[in-house]
Amino acid sequence: MRKTISKNKTAIKLLSIFFALLIATGCGNVLDEVEDLSNYPGEGTFDDIQTVQAYLARCYNLTLGGWPVNDGNKADESGSIIPVDWITTSNGAMNYWPYSSIRTINILIHELPEGAVPEDDKPAILAQAKFLRAYHYFKMVVYHGGVPIIREPQSLEDDLMVSRNSTKECFDFIIEDLDYAIANLPNKYTGSDFGRIDKAAALSLKGRVLLYKASPQFNSSNPYGNAYWQEAYTANKTAIDFLNANGYGLLEDYTSIFETEGHKENILSVVYKDPVKSNGRGENSVRPLSETKNATGGDQPIWALAEAYPMLDGKMPGDPTSKYTYDVQTFWKDRDPRFAATLVWNGELYELSGKGGRRQYTMTNIASSVDAFGYIIQGESQYRTGLFCRKGINESLTPELVGTNDYDWVEIRYTEVLFNYAESANETGKSDVAIQALKDIRERAGIEPGANGMFGLKSGMTKEEVREALLQEKYIEMVFEGKRFWDLRRHRMLNRIDGMHKYGIMTMKVADRTYDQVTPDDVAKANKYEWLPEDFTYSVEELITTGQRQMSMPDKYYFFPIQLDNIDKDPNLEQNKDWGGTFNPEL
C-alpha cells in the first residue's frame, strides 16, 4: 500500500487553484512558486497531473534563483572587502544546508511512482525532480564536501542522526540522478514548456559537476593530472556535441543573451514574467541611485575588472604589440566590445528611464550626489566605484517600475558549457580544442581576428598558458553571473584575491576645474548631458581607506564548515578538518 505523507484534502484543492491561476494569467510556462502549505501533500496529490505539476513547480522554486547580485564582492568583480573571519562555524556565512527543500523533492520522487497520473508522464517528472535534487547536492558538495545522502522523505519519526557520506559517494549520487534525468527527458523543451529542465540542461549540468570533481579544489595532491579530467572531458564533449546537434550555439549579439528569451545560447532559464514573477535581476539595487528606488550598491564594477578587458585587437591594455594605445585618461576607448556592453563610466550614454541622450556622471558636483564617487560626498566607499553595471538592465523602466524587470535569469548558457569543454580538453592534452573555443568566444564578442587569426591570443601557448587564458576570458565573458569566485576557489587560486585592495576610477576634474571650482554653467551642461567622457580627468583611487582595506581569503575557505547548530542537532556529523574536525572533504 502506498505510503501517505498527509491527508489534508484542502491542500489538494489549494494546489489546484494555484496551478489554475498560472494558466489563467497566461503564464503556464512560468515555473512559479505555489503556496507552502504546512500539511501538504495530501492524500491524492500525486493522482492528479495538475497538482503534481504545481508541486513540481514548487520544487523548481526551492532550487533555482535569479541573478547572483553582489556575488562579485567575493572576488575581483565588485567593491566590498571580505573581512577577516568572514566565515566561522557559527555565523552562518556560506552555509548551504537545504535539507527541507530536498525533503520536498524526495516526497515527489517517492510518491509519484504509485500515483494515478498517466504512466507516460511519470518519467519526465521524476527526471526533473532528480535533476533538482542533484543540483542541491552538487551545491552542498561544492560548499562543504561530502554530506549526508538522504534518498527518502524523512519524517519526525525517522532516525535523523545521520553521518556524512564521502565526497566521492556524493558525486556518484549526483551523477546517478543526472544520468536518470538524461535518459528520461526530451531533448529540448520549447513553447509553453520553455524553462523546464530537459536533456540539454541535464547533460550540461553533468559536465559542470564533473569539471568540479576533477578540479584542484577536490584533488589538491594531484590538481591537473588526475584521472577525473578524462571523465570531465567525456561528459562535456557529449554535452557540447548534443547542443550543437540540437540548435544551440553562441548568440551573435552578446547583450541579447541577457535581454531576450528562448535564444540558442539559453540552455536553462529561470523564467520571469511581470507581474507574476519579476526583478530576478535585482535591478533596483544595481542601477545608479538617481534612477532607482529603495536600494543601491549592487554589482558595482571595480577598476581591476575594467583593466581585465583587452583592447579591440585582443591584446591587453598597455601591451606594446597592440595596435591600440592605452591611456587611463581614455580607458574606455578601443576596448573589447563587451566592455561597453557591461560597464558604464563617467560621461557614457546610459539612457535609463527612457531618457534619450542621458549620460551617466560620477564627478562630485557634476553628478547627482547619490551617484558620485568622490571624497566629499561620502569618502571613498565600496558602494561607489566610478563605474556602474549595464548587464541585464532594462534601461526603459522608470524608477517607479524598476522592480518589474522580467528578463530571464540564464542559469546555464552555451558559453559556459563551451568553457567547461575547453578546460577539460586542455587538461587532457587537447589544447587545440581549447584555443578554438577561445577564438570562437572572442570572435562573437567582436574582437578583431588579426593577421594571424588568433584574436589577440598568444601563438604556441603551453597547457598552463591556455589554462590562464581560459580563466581570464571567462572572468570578463561571464562577469556578474556568479562564476568568478567559484572558479578561483575551484582552481585553488584564492591567494590571488587574498590581501587584495580594491580600487575605483574617480573623476577629478571637468575642463581642468576640480569639484570645488565647478560653475553653474558646468552643472547646466551636465543637466543637458553635454559633457563627454574625454572632457574629464581621472584618477585610480582606493575604495576603502579606513578599517580593513584588504581582502581576507585564507586557504581553509576551499571548503566551508558545517555550521555548529547543524552538528548540535546531529552529533554524527563530522566537522571539516580545517575547521576543527576530522572529515576530509576532498576525493
Side-chain angles (χ1 to χ4, degrees), residues 224-225 425-429 431 461-468:
Y224 295 112
N426 184 57
E427 300 303 339
T428 52
S431 294
M461 287 188 285
T462 65
K463 181 169 75 171
E464 291 73 23
E465 288 173 327
V466 173
R467 184 187 303 146
E468 287 291 336

Side-chain angles (χ1 to χ4, degrees), residues 114-129:
E114 296 185 49
V117 300
E119 290 299 318
D120 289 347
D121 291 333
K122 290 179 181 179
I125 294 170
L126 288 170
Q128 291 171 73

Side-chain angles (χ1 to χ4, degrees), residues 304-330:
L305 174 61
E307 286 189 303
Y309 286 87
M311 305 302 288
L312 189 56
D313 61 359
K315 303 294 181 68
M316 293 307 294
D319 186 332
T321 67
S322 175
K323 72 178 187 180
Y324 296 105
T325 301
Y326 175 74
D327 189 322
V328 170
Q329 299 305 319
T330 54

Side-chain angles (χ1 to χ4, degrees), residues 510-563:
V510 59
D512 290 328
R513 290 184 290 279
T514 58
Y515 73 89
D516 54 345
Q517 298 170 333
V518 167
T519 69
D521 285 344
D522 293 335
V523 175
K525 287 185 69 173
N527 290 338
K528 291 185 289 185
Y529 310 129
E530 293 179 355
W531 290 116
L532 302 179
E534 54 266 33
D535 295 326
F536 298 85
T537 304
Y538 303 94
S539 176
V540 177
E541 299 289 335
E542 190 166 359
L543 301 178
I544 311 297
T545 57
T546 59
Q548 183 178 329
R549 297 169 57 182
Q550 64 281 338
M551 296 277 281
S552 177
M553 282 286 167
D555 285 350
K556 65 180 181 178
Y557 285 3
Y558 289 121
F559 289 98
F560 304 136
I562 304 297
Q563 292 299 293

Side-chain angles (χ1 to χ4, degrees), residues 301-551:
I302 60 172
W303 184 243
L305 174 61
E307 286 189 303
Y309 286 87
M311 305 302 288
L312 189 56
D313 61 359
K315 303 294 181 68
M316 293 307 294
D319 186 332
T321 67
S322 175
K323 72 178 187 180
Y324 296 105
T325 301
Y326 175 74
D327 189 322
V328 170
Q329 299 305 319
T330 54
F331 62 87
W332 60 89
K333 287 190 174 181
D334 300 319
R335 303 297 292 273
D336 175 341
R338 290 171 295 187
F339 185 97
T342 305
L343 306 183
V344 179
W345 53 95
N346 179 70
E348 168 65 352
L349 278 172
Y350 197 21
E351 297 178 318
L352 292 170
S353 309
K355 296 177 179 178
R358 179 188 180 277
R359 292 183 180 273
Q360 179 64 54
Y361 297 114
T362 64
M363 180 180 173
T364 301
N365 291 337
I366 289 292
S368 166
S369 64
V370 294
D371 295 348
F373 173 41
Y375 302 126
I376 69 163
I377 298 297
Q378 59 196 30
E380 295 101 330
S381 167
Q382 69 266 35
Y383 298 113
R384 298 291 182 276
T385 66
L387 298 166
F388 289 97
C389 177
R390 192 192 299 272
K391 197 171 191 177
I393 300 299
N394 185 343
E395 297 181 22
S396 67
L397 295 175
T398 63
E400 294 75 22
L401 297 177
V402 71
T404 66
N405 178 325
D406 59 0
Y407 291 156
D408 294 347
W409 160 240
V410 186
E411 170 60 34
I412 304 176
R413 65 178 173 103
Y414 181 89
T415 313
E416 182 207 342
V417 183
L418 188 57
F419 273 120
N420 295 346
Y421 172 52
E423 187 176 329
S424 56
N426 184 57
E427 300 303 339
T428 52
K430 294 171 277 294
S431 294
D432 58 323
V433 172
I435 292 169
Q436 185 59 53
L438 282 168
K439 290 164 67 175
D440 290 345
I441 291 167
R442 287 190 159 206
E443 182 176 23
R444 187 274 296 279
I447 290 176
E448 298 168 345
N452 63 358
M454 288 296 291
F455 296 87
L457 298 166
K458 177 184 174 183
S459 297
M461 287 188 285
T462 65
K463 181 169 75 171
E464 291 73 23
E465 288 173 327
V466 173
R467 184 187 303 146
E468 287 291 336
L470 286 166
L471 190 64
Q472 180 70 9
E473 194 71 24
K474 193 174 179 183
Y475 175 27
I476 56 175
E477 167 73 23
M478 304 194 76
V479 63
F480 300 125
E481 295 179 56
K483 301 297 181 185
R484 178 62 172 177
F485 170 75
W486 305 98
D487 283 340
L488 292 174
R489 185 171 175 263
R490 176 169 59 85
H491 280 281
R492 289 187 173 259
M493 294 177 178
L494 291 182
N495 61 299
R496 297 189 179 189
I497 51 176
D498 184 46
M500 177 186 183
H501 292 237
K502 293 187 175 182
Y503 296 84
I505 185 74
M506 191 176 289
T507 310
M508 310 300 290
K509 296 180 180 180
V510 59
D512 290 328
R513 290 184 290 279
T514 58
Y515 73 89
D516 54 345
Q517 298 170 333
V518 167
T519 69
D521 285 344
D522 293 335
V523 175
K525 287 185 69 173
N527 290 338
K528 291 185 289 185
Y529 310 129
E530 293 179 355
W531 290 116
L532 302 179
E534 54 266 33
D535 295 326
F536 298 85
T537 304
Y538 303 94
S539 176
V540 177
E541 299 289 335
E542 190 166 359
L543 301 178
I544 311 297
T545 57
T546 59
Q548 183 178 329
R549 297 169 57 182
Q550 64 281 338
M551 296 277 281

